[in-house]
Amino acid sequence: MAFTEKLLLVPPPVQAGGRHVKRYHVTADPRGIDPEVERAAYALLPDLLPPPDGTPPASFVVLHRGGDTGAYLNVYSWVWDNVLHFAGAAAGQPVLGCPDTDPTHFVRLDRSLIGCVWELPPIQHERDAWVRHLLAPDRPDLAAYLADSLPAGTTGTTTPASTPGTTTVTGERA
């Protein structure tokens, strides 16, 4: 199976359910995610957010338009000061319990899936940004966290491999 990275788009944050929500969009389409799919996904967003618990009210989402009929909304929210809460929804993917192949008909997922290979890169960035701006400083800075997003580009990065003398480059094996 050939592997190809997808595009990573970074729209501005929004507010939903009393939370600041950073956004990442993943797609192979250079035009981005269809506005109808985006509207349908974000209409469900407030239902996927946890209640406030005293942690700065911040979340991030990964909206992914698959290469077939599927669309996926992964919602990650900071709770208990340093824990990442997950809730997800899918549309157009009957194998996940969707009633049809309509990519705008989102339903909440009840499976313990947290994301595919194209949806995972924002998690590492967001973890590091949360530590950098809210946990490590003497004074937590939610505004700095909200301004610190993974840059738009592709879902892959150049990363040193754990084995000395080898390097893995996006989409290739060393």
Side-chain angles (χ1 to χ4, degrees):
M1 167 187 262
F3 175 77
T4 304
E5 291 293 353
K6 292 187 178 184
L7 299 172
L8 180 71
L9 308 169
V10 186
V14 296
Q15 292 207 8
R19 288 179 164 269
H20 303 278
V21 182
K22 295 166 74 171
R23 300 186 297 158
Y24 296 97
H25 289 181
V26 174
T27 181
D29 189 339
R31 296 170 298 175
I33 292 180
D34 182 287
E36 291 297 318
V37 171
E38 183 177 353
R39 272 191 290 280
Y42 289 125
L44 188 59
L45 177 59
D47 295 334
L48 300 173
L49 296 168
D53 70 351
T55 302
S59 300
F60 62 97
V61 300
V62 178
L63 177 57
H64 178 188
R65 184 64 168 95
D68 55 10
T69 58
Y72 314 92
L73 179 64
N74 298 337
V75 181
Y76 307 94
S77 299
W78 292 105
V79 298
W80 296 358
D81 296 323
N82 60 15
V83 173
L84 200 54
H85 172 276
F86 173 78
Q93 193 59 263
V95 72
L96 292 178
C98 298
D100 52 42
T101 57
D102 179 352
T104 66
H105 190 183
F106 280 86
V107 296
R108 187 175 184 140
L109 291 176
D110 61 358
R111 296 185 182 197
S112 56
L113 308 171
I114 65 161
C116 73
V117 296
W118 295 285
E119 299 161 353
L120 295 176
I123 294 174
Q124 180 65 46
H125 175 84
E126 293 300 320
R127 179 260 181 217
D128 292 346
W130 189 256
V131 169
R132 187 170 39 254
H133 300 296
L134 283 115
L135 299 180
D138 291 336
R139 302 185 98 171
D141 190 345
L142 181 60
Y145 168 76
L146 295 172
D148 186 346
S149 291
L150 190 63
T154 65
T155 53
T157 59
T158 302
T159 307
S162 59
T163 306
T166 64
T167 303
T168 302
V169 178
T170 301
E172 300 175 11
R173 292 184 188 164

